[in-house]
Amino acid sequence: MPCCNRENSARRLLIAIALLGSLAACGADATPPSSPGIKLVQNATASGLPAIVEFGAETCASCREMKVVLDRVARRTQGRAHVLVIDISKDWEAAQMFRIQLMPTQAFFGPDGREIGRHMGKLSEAEVIARLGVSATP
């Protein structure tokens, strides 16, 4: 019997976590986000420019490779798009809000501030620029 009680307790805990996550996703939590990453994304998506947000970590080799690509994209699209990198090992609240499940994940936002797509893994510089919908040169 003790094993069944542990299984039931674990099941109840998972259900509670899922419910809390659902409530947070629905906006039931009225407190404003304290995450610097979330604030950066909100500012970028309110600017009227397209944006890419990379969710990764310094400890992730693919994320470090994408950071090099995104640095080049930022230079090539300066003033025409926002390029943000959020280290989710330091900003877990941002990872939760954007439901990040794998690193690296790139979220693309249109000029209207809506998310228009996601990609998990690495992308080339040309692919990022194409998904942003901006030209590579001014």
Side-chain angles (χ1 to χ4, degrees), residues 29-84:
D29 183 8
T31 60
S34 60
S35 159
I38 293 172
K39 290 176 185 174
L40 280 172
V41 173
Q42 289 172 337
N43 289 338
T45 56
S47 71
L49 296 174
I52 177 176
V53 182
E54 160 90 356
F55 296 93
E58 291 175 6
T59 57
C60 164
S62 295
C63 302
R64 288 192 304 269
E65 291 175 31
M66 274 305 299
K67 172 109 173 55
V68 172
V69 169
L70 293 174
D71 286 345
R72 288 194 307 257
V73 169
R75 283 192 299 275
R76 291 181 65 187
T77 62
Q78 189 173 9
R80 295 174 288 122
H82 292 284
V83 179
L84 306 174

Side-chain angles (χ1 to χ4, degrees), residues 70-101:
L70 293 174
D71 286 345
R72 288 194 307 257
V73 169
R75 283 192 299 275
R76 291 181 65 187
T77 62
Q78 189 173 9
R80 295 174 288 122
H82 292 284
V83 179
L84 306 174
V85 177
I86 297 175
D87 186 331
I88 63 173
S89 68
K90 297 176 183 172
D91 192 346
W92 186 241
E93 187 178 348
Q96 289 178 312
M97 179 170 177
F98 289 97
R99 297 183 178 144
I100 303 305
Q101 299 175 352

Side-chain angles (χ1 to χ4, degrees), residues 45 49-52 106-119 128-134:
T45 56
L49 296 174
I52 177 176
Q106 302 86 30
F108 293 88
F109 296 87
D112 62 359
R114 292 188 212 180
E115 187 173 332
I116 57 173
R118 283 190 181 207
H119 178 267
V128 172
I129 290 171
R131 287 182 185 223
L132 283 170
V134 296

